[in-house]
Amino acid sequence: MGTLKQNIHWILLIAAVLLLVGCFNLPMGYYTFMRIVVCIIAILAIVDNKDNGFGWRNIILALIAVLFNPIIPIYLHSKITWVIIDLLCAGWFVWMSCKIKKNNII
């Protein structure tokens, strides 16, 4: 197993898959699990990108971490709103993963 820097693109793809699965109607336990994992992965990506300063990518990751944080959950009370957010965040994680893989940077 490599370092975080070597595997961050795979870790971001895991978050994307979890978010895509979250678009379906699943038990509440899955969404709690997804919140925890997505929040942790967003924070890991911020830590991995700390050498590049606090740019717009880190701001978006911080917003994702806050939105999906399991400690003080944000309830939007609308499944369609969450589906749109999940799809946007999954797209963001896929885009970042591709960018990292292509450029070997975040």
Side-chain angles (χ1 to χ4, degrees):
M1 183 171 257
T3 65
L4 177 63
K5 191 62 113 173
Q6 294 169 333
N7 292 316
I8 191 68
H9 66 280
W10 292 112
I11 294 169
L12 292 170
L13 288 177
I14 290 169
V17 169
L18 290 173
L19 287 163
L20 291 174
V21 171
C23 292
F24 298 101
N25 281 332
L26 298 167
M28 193 61 193
Y30 176 80
Y31 297 107
T32 302
F33 170 75
M34 183 183 74
R35 279 182 177 271
I36 293 167
V37 174
V38 169
C39 182
I40 290 171
I41 289 174
I43 292 168
L44 284 175
I46 292 170
V47 169
D48 186 62
N49 194 32
K50 71 179 181 299
D51 297 337
N52 295 336
F54 198 74
W56 61 276
R57 290 181 182 133
N58 280 349
I59 292 171
I60 293 173
L61 287 167
L63 290 173
I64 291 171
V66 168
L67 185 62
F68 285 93
N69 87 82
I71 298 169
I72 305 172
I74 296 174
Y75 296 108
L76 299 178
H77 304 290
S78 170
K79 178 67 176 171
I80 191 67
T81 304
W82 274 113
V83 167
I84 292 168
I85 290 170
D86 288 350
L87 290 173
L88 289 172
C89 292
W92 175 255
F93 283 127
V94 168
W95 178 80
M96 284 189 65
S97 177
C98 292
K99 193 92 168 146
I100 291 167
K101 189 69 174 162
K102 179 180 175 189
N103 299 331
N104 209 13
I105 60 165
I106 187 161

